[in-house]
Amino acid sequence: MKQESARAPRAVPRAARRESPPFRAGRTSTARELPDGIVVDRVLDDPLQLLVGAAHPLAAAATLTPDDLAGHRIWIPGLRPGAEWAAYYDELTEAFDLRIDAIGPNFGSAALLDAIADAADVATLVGSGDRHVWPATQDLRRIPLHGPTPVYPHSFVHRADNRHPTLTALRRHLVATRPARPSESWEPSWVGRR
């Protein structure tokens, strides 16, 4: 099984030399093909949720559509041009006319949650499977997105000839425990449907 990847020039040679981890986020497509012997298995589609503080205008919503986010500042600090997650958010922005702000370095989840908790005009997007812990005084709200649900694709990249039982067990576990894909979902064009 061959898949295409924009990161192939850097990530795949490490995989071919058995230096890179077998699990990583979704990949973007280019004309380059992965080298023979590299397998990419889609193992998880993580639905996105909006994370806001209590003062945000969308804080009272039980669910939202991606279109509901238009005009609201969504802060995702540390997005790097050329990275696969930057390509994901670029396409999400285009698809739903979003206002994603990538300004500033990523000082970690705690700093991001502090900023969102104190602001009425800033939100961020998190995966439904992401584990974030915050003090009750921050009063943050996670709001599911539907109609469609944007999903972030995660893939398991490994050498086809690696038959290590732990690698096989890990892949089986990831596939067996992945949540069901939302019935109406959005994914970037560079990802093949699972």
Side-chain angles (χ1 to χ4, degrees), residues 128-139:
S128 65
D130 294 356
R131 303 290 186 248
H132 295 284
V133 178
W134 56 81
T137 56
Q138 285 186 329
D139 199 17

Side-chain angles (χ1 to χ4, degrees), residues 26-27 41-48 88 91 96 128 145-155 174-194:
R27 66 247 179 258
D41 297 316
R42 181 112 162 246
V43 294
L44 174 65
D45 293 325
D46 196 8
L48 293 187
Y88 175 88
E91 197 164 325
F96 299 104
S128 65
L145 300 176
H146 299 290
T149 300
V151 295
Y152 193 93
H154 294 273
S155 296
L174 292 171
V175 170
T177 60
R178 69 181 168 202
R181 182 185 180 91
S183 60
E184 186 184 358
S185 62
W186 176 92
E187 63 188 21
S189 62
W190 43 264
V191 174
R193 295 193 74 80
R194 85 169 148 138

Side-chain angles (χ1 to χ4, degrees), residues 74-80 85 100-108 112 124:
I74 301 170
W75 189 34
I76 304 176
L79 279 178
R80 293 179 37 200
W85 55 300
I100 293 183
D101 180 359
I103 190 115
N106 183 349
F107 289 118
L112 179 62
T124 196

